[in-house]
Amino acid sequence: MASALQFTAISGAHSEEAVCYLLEVGDAKLLLDCGSFEDYSGEGLARLQRVARQVDAVLLSHPDMAHVGAYPLAYSKYGLKCPAYATQATHMMGRLCLQDVVRTLTAREDFTQFDESDVDAAFENITALQYAQPKALAGRHADIVVTAHAAGHTIGGTVWTISSGGETVLYALDFNHMKEEHLNRTSLMEGAQGKVSARLMKPTLLITGAYTALHRVPPRRRRVECFLDTVARAVRRGGNVLVPVDSAARVLELAYLLNEWWARDKARRDTHALCLLAQCSRKTRSFAQSLVGWMGGGVEAQMADRDAKPFDLRHVTAVQSIEELDRKLGGDSRARGRQRHAVVLASLEGMSGFSQDLFVRWAAGKKNVVILPQRGPPASLARHLYKRWWDRTQALTVKKRVPLEGAELEAWRAQERRRQEQEAARDALLKRKRDMLDDDDIDLETERLLSGQTYDLYVRGRGPVRGLYLVSKSYCMFPFQEKNRRSDDYGEIYDLETYMIQPDADADEGAHLLDAAAPDADKPYESDAARPESRPTKPVEKERRVQLNCELAFVDMEGRADGTSVSNIVVQLMPKRLVIVHGTSASTAALADFCRDPTVEVTKEIYTPAVGEILNVSSGVNVYRMRLADALVKHVPMTAVRGCMAGFVSGRVSFSHEDQTPTLEPDHAELSNAWCPPMLVGDPRLSALRTVLVRQGFAAHFDSEGTLVCNNAVAIKRASSKRTKSDTIKILGAPSPDFYSIRSVVYAHLAAL
């Protein structure tokens, strides 16, 4: 039978929170995205924790917090150990995004949800895929095949198709139908003249979002011009520009756009610096250069014209702390004798990291500009500025770490001394006579004896009988452990250090000098804030009121299809059922009302689930799995239809006690006198058939009743078949050469079985 489909929204329904959904295909449970913003709060995480251990596979769509933010937490703390799938670019940039968030939060507060080792362990569990690569799930759910298609919103962003039996689920959130500077448009729009790709049409279930359903944006060219003009005004009047961005996804588009614009004018390079400020900004540049194959054709064409490095952001300076930014500007100012300003792409997009620090510093300057390229997460400072842009006094909470002083410092030192003493004792316990003992012969009791903490080994023995019970008794014995010397097959004692390659001192010194001259992006500590400090710190929070004297602008550079485009794409996809999520209640209702309009040719099975609501979205068609006998298959004529081979079979179903899968055997009695009318498989649209006939040289036109008339001798019309319960084609006309020629063209176009 067809697989039963159930859909549950864990978070991201009737709201703009991070997305996480549970799709049940038969007895398999698939987690569609696993997002959370940097505050890591809300009921969504509690619901995720309840279902994490039941999930069979995870599909990740985009390398940003809204789609992968909670994955390390669920993997390390919630037991989400099942296989995960993502594109290679999402795998690399998603890990980088979370590393940046962990370092940012750790530098400002006591962040204990997970650490960088948890991020690395979680992303090592991900299977990296390419676009259009079908992948069967591992284990007992091998009948489910997932395929990644380009979304266009972020590098490696994915629109997923999930196929099982006769069911196809299309999961399409956050896609972009327009080509950008470094990305091509989504695979949904691979058809000619703005049409949807035929291979993704008519899914059993379409899961899409209403995030932009109420938004209508100008053409992309005008938005890019507005963004660059706003930056240019601030540069001309000698002000600073702050652009809050994420650290691994949409930042690439803005950095590439500004880098190309920066290269056209040397004057602005003398007065302003173009900087990317993030905890992992150097890794962002290096990773992006290795992922050029995931970018659009425009980047590759420019590389060929200029003979330059891939995605070479030569005018973008990567800095990883506020102190490094100050040194960059201060050093240049001393060299030129004047103060230098900056255009800074700063993380995080919600303005809770470096972007908040620069906002506090630059908000009071009348020459400065803060440009919001996206609305930001809900309840963030960026979203507050977007909604209340007229409020010139902004209240915000500033989090930072300050050094310990006085009694707090002394208490920390005492605790640190105790910890070091305990670690030293434990290390000595494990190291003592380790080189003379085999690892397999060391147990906890022996280690305790070797440490000198005790000198007796208590061995339990059988005691005297008192009444009806044996009394256990312990005997004090002198401890002894036989020392097993390590030896090879010939009995000779070997020393591992003899065979170890000693490092070259000159090479080490040269490498040390090279590292000192050029900071490496892969060092464990990439910023001043992330390096271990000799003096301990503690997190503090301070409420501040910031006077907003600078210019505040919003230019939509989110890279998402707007409401009109989303509506048109949904109509062209022609899904059998539609689930709308990821949007406010108003935007969700707007998209649902549009689809429910009787004049709109789209399914009327539309669902707008609330968080936690379980939907049964199974189809009413039963699909059965059976094995075809070899004797039956070799007599079936096969016809190519849209890249597949189709044929008409008729036989008798037989069952075996050894195998639960039924077998379709040929029925010789029926085949001797069986006949069935031909079945046409393909696209029965007469308009497409007319185009094919005109190309073959026939005169074809439609009459007033919609019948296709060919050479004024043959009529072709659509009719409903009672046997197949679907549309079919009827060819009417007297037998003639034109009739048989036209019939041959129709059969070739529609494939008669």
Side-chain angles (χ1 to χ4, degrees):
M1 292 185 60
S3 301
L5 295 178
Q6 286 189 346
F7 179 84
T8 306
I10 297 177
S11 66
H14 288 277
S15 69
E16 296 178 345
E17 296 291 339
V19 296
C20 184
Y21 311 106
L22 183 66
L23 177 67
E24 300 182 44
V25 183
D27 58 347
K29 296 185 177 181
L30 310 182
L31 194 68
L32 307 179
D33 286 321
C34 189
S36 176
F37 294 118
E38 54 266 20
D39 55 355
Y40 287 95
S41 61
E43 293 294 329
L45 294 179
R47 284 186 289 270
L48 175 60
Q49 185 175 8
R50 288 194 291 267
V51 302
R53 298 182 183 276
Q54 308 171 17
V55 176
D56 297 302
V58 181
L59 304 181
L60 302 175
S61 302
H62 296 278
D64 55 11
M65 291 296 293
H67 296 82
V68 302
Y71 180 61
L73 176 62
Y75 182 86
S76 60
K77 300 295 194 302
Y78 298 165
L80 188 66
K81 302 295 184 179
C82 62
Y85 302 91
T87 60
Q88 182 183 2
T90 299
H91 174 254
M92 294 178 61
M93 303 307 286
R95 174 187 293 193
L96 183 61
C97 171
L98 285 163
Q99 288 177 347
D100 185 87
V101 170
V102 169
R103 296 180 185 182
T104 299
L105 297 180
T106 304
R108 296 171 181 273
E109 57 186 87
D110 290 333
F111 182 71
T112 58
Q113 299 283 3
F114 56 89
D115 54 19
E116 288 191 51
S117 62
D118 295 328
V119 174
D120 294 335
F123 277 81
E124 287 297 328
N125 183 55
I126 295 178
T127 300
L129 304 177
Q130 301 293 326
Y131 283 145
Q133 174 190 352
K135 178 66 176 179
L137 299 186
R140 59 190 180 94
H141 302 298
D143 58 326
I144 300 177
V145 179
V146 298
T147 309
H149 306 277
H153 171 58
T154 59
I155 185 170
T158 307
V159 171
W160 290 100
T161 56
I162 306 164
S163 304
S164 176
E167 308 284 359
T168 300
V169 179
L170 179 60
Y171 177 63
L173 257 67
D174 296 335
F175 53 84
N176 190 5
H177 68 297
M178 298 296 295
K179 184 180 182 299
E180 293 190 307
E181 294 293 329
H182 83 296
L183 291 177
N184 290 328
R185 60 182 179 178
T186 175
S187 296
L188 294 174
M189 303 298 295
E190 287 183 348
Q193 298 180 355
K195 300 296 183 181
V196 169
S197 175
R199 59 176 176 165
L200 299 178
M201 292 176 62
K202 298 181 180 180
T204 305
L205 175 65
L206 171 62
I207 305 172
T208 190
Y211 188 83
T212 59
L214 295 177
H215 293 266
R216 305 294 184 268
V217 298
R220 184 182 181 277
R221 180 177 56 83
R222 290 180 54 190
R223 287 182 280 125
V224 171
E225 291 176 355
C226 180
F227 178 80
L228 296 178
D229 289 345
T230 306
V231 176
R233 287 199 306 270
V235 170
R236 285 194 298 266
R237 62 174 177 252
N240 298 303
V241 180
L242 169 62
V243 184
V245 293
D246 54 59
S247 56
R250 292 300 303 171
V251 63
L252 300 182
E253 174 70 15
L254 297 177
Y256 187 80
L257 184 66
L258 286 172
N259 181 76
E260 295 299 309
W261 180 70
W262 216 254
R264 302 171 193 163
D265 189 357
K266 186 178 182 300
R268 70 172 66 100
R269 298 199 298 269
D270 293 337
T271 59
H272 284 70
L274 178 59
C275 299
L276 173 59
L277 176 59
Q279 295 279 357
C280 303
S281 58
R282 296 189 182 98
K283 275 190 176 181
T284 299
R285 292 184 55 174
S286 61
F287 280 20
Q289 291 177 353
S290 66
L291 296 173
V292 175
W294 294 84
M295 299 181 184
V299 175
E300 298 178 356
Q302 290 184 0
M303 287 169 47
D305 295 340
R306 300 178 184 176
D307 193 18
K309 294 181 180 179
F311 205 74
D312 184 19
L313 305 177
R314 62 180 63 186
H315 300 293
V316 179
T317 303
V319 292
Q320 301 183 155
S321 67
I322 296 293
E323 293 77 9
E324 186 178 355
L325 176 64
D326 292 338
R327 290 195 298 269
K328 174 67 179 175
L329 301 181
D332 293 337
S333 65
R334 287 192 297 270
R336 295 175 172 82
R338 61 179 181 274
Q339 180 64 34
R340 200 181 186 202
H341 302 281
V343 176
V344 182
L345 302 170
S347 66
L348 300 165
E349 60 177 319
M351 300 184 68
S352 59
F354 289 140
S355 55
Q356 185 189 69
D357 297 337
L358 293 182
F359 175 74
V360 173
R361 177 185 295 188
W362 292 347
K366 295 183 179 181
K367 296 182 179 180
N368 301 330
V369 178
V370 176
I371 304 177
L372 302 178
Q374 46 197 357
R375 288 172 281 172
S380 65
L381 176 58
R383 178 61 67 92
H384 182 74
L385 293 175
Y386 170 78
K387 289 184 175 180
R388 299 185 59 84
W389 53 270
W390 64 86
D391 191 354
R392 309 311 295 179
T393 303
Q394 299 290 336
L396 64 152
T397 302
V398 178
K399 297 180 180 180
K400 62 179 180 179
R401 304 189 74 93
V402 297
L404 296 180
E405 297 178 351
E408 292 180 337
L409 180 59
E410 294 300 326
W412 179 87
R413 288 175 176 172
Q415 182 180 0
E416 188 69 11
R417 284 193 297 269
R418 291 193 298 269
R419 184 185 63 81
Q420 293 176 358
E421 292 173 358
Q422 293 175 358
E423 289 182 355
R426 183 170 60 252
D427 293 342
L429 179 68
L430 297 176
K431 186 178 179 181
R432 188 175 182 181
K433 297 185 178 180
R434 177 74 71 176
D435 56 338
M436 300 300 294
L437 298 174
D438 286 338
D439 295 340
D440 297 338
D441 296 333
I442 300 176
D443 54 16
L444 295 178
E445 185 67 21
T446 303
E447 294 289 359
R448 189 168 65 90
L449 294 169
L450 294 175
S451 65
Q453 299 176 3
T454 183
Y455 301 95
D456 292 327
L457 179 64
Y458 289 93
V459 180
R460 292 184 177 180
R462 225 176 133 177
V465 179
R466 294 182 182 177
L468 299 177
Y469 302 97
L470 289 175
V471 179
S472 61
K473 186 175 181 180
S474 298
Y475 297 92
C476 198
M477 300 187 65
F478 185 79
F480 175 76
Q481 178 74 24
E482 183 180 1
K483 299 177 181 179
N484 297 327
R485 294 181 178 272
R486 295 189 178 94
S487 60
D488 57 16
D489 295 337
Y490 300 95
E492 181 182 0
I493 300 175
Y494 60 86
D495 186 6
L496 293 177
E497 295 183 358
T498 305
Y499 304 97
M500 294 178 64
I501 300 176
Q502 300 297 330
D504 189 358
D506 297 335
D508 290 345
E509 183 178 359
H512 176 72
L513 295 176
L514 180 61
D515 292 342
D520 189 1
D522 295 329
K523 290 182 179 180
Y525 298 103
E526 295 187 337
S527 65
D528 295 341
R531 293 190 182 96
E533 300 178 358
S534 59
R535 191 171 183 181
T537 60
K538 66 176 181 179
V540 295
E541 295 185 6
K542 184 178 180 181
E543 300 293 334
R544 292 197 57 173
R545 298 187 67 84
V546 178
Q547 189 66 29
L548 193 61
N549 297 327
C550 65
E551 180 183 351
L552 180 62
F554 171 75
V555 182
D556 192 335
M557 302 294 290
E558 292 182 347
R560 291 185 175 96
D562 63 350
T564 303
S565 302
V566 170
S567 302
N568 294 335
I569 291 174
V570 169
V571 172
Q572 294 185 45
L573 285 173
M574 294 185 291
K576 296 180 180 179
R577 277 168 297 281
L578 175 62
V579 174
I580 302 176
V581 291
H582 195 210
T584 61
S585 298
S587 60
T588 302
L591 182 57
D593 292 342
F594 169 82
C595 296
R596 292 191 180 105
D597 191 338
T599 61
V600 178
E601 296 182 0
V602 72
T603 179
K604 304 309 174 186
E605 294 188 46
I606 303 169
Y607 305 91
T608 57
V611 171
E613 180 181 354
I614 301 176
L615 292 179
N616 184 4
V617 288
S618 303
S619 65
V621 179
N622 293 331
V623 179
Y624 297 90
R625 183 186 304 273
M626 63 177 58
R627 183 181 294 107
L628 299 181
D630 295 338
L632 179 67
V633 174
K634 66 181 181 180
H635 294 98
V636 176
M638 307 298 290
T639 305
V641 180
R642 293 186 181 179
C644 302
M645 300 302 294
F648 184 84
V649 296
S650 177
R652 185 180 298 274
V653 179
S654 62
F655 295 89
S656 174
H657 297 287
E658 299 178 356
D659 192 356
Q660 296 180 354
T661 304
T663 303
L664 187 65
E665 302 282 354
D667 190 349
H668 300 286
E670 182 182 356
L671 290 177
S672 59
N673 55 1
W675 179 87
C676 61
M679 178 186 300
L680 299 180
V681 179
D683 192 352
R685 291 186 302 174
L686 295 182
S687 59
L689 188 57
R690 176 184 175 275
T691 303
V692 174
L693 290 170
V694 170
R695 290 176 181 174
Q696 296 293 331
F698 297 98
H701 66 277
F702 288 99
D703 62 5
S704 59
E705 297 181 356
T707 302
L708 182 61
V709 180
C710 304
N711 287 356
N712 293 323
V714 180
I716 304 176
K717 61 169 47 179
R718 295 178 58 176
S720 298
S721 174
K722 296 181 179 180
R723 184 175 63 89
T724 61
K725 297 181 180 180
S726 61
D727 291 343
T728 185
I729 297 294
K730 285 188 176 182
I731 306 176
L732 307 176
S736 64
D738 286 345
F739 177 84
Y740 292 111
S741 299
I742 292 172
R743 189 184 67 172
S744 300
V745 174
V746 173
Y747 281 4
H749 178 65
L750 298 177
L753 302 180

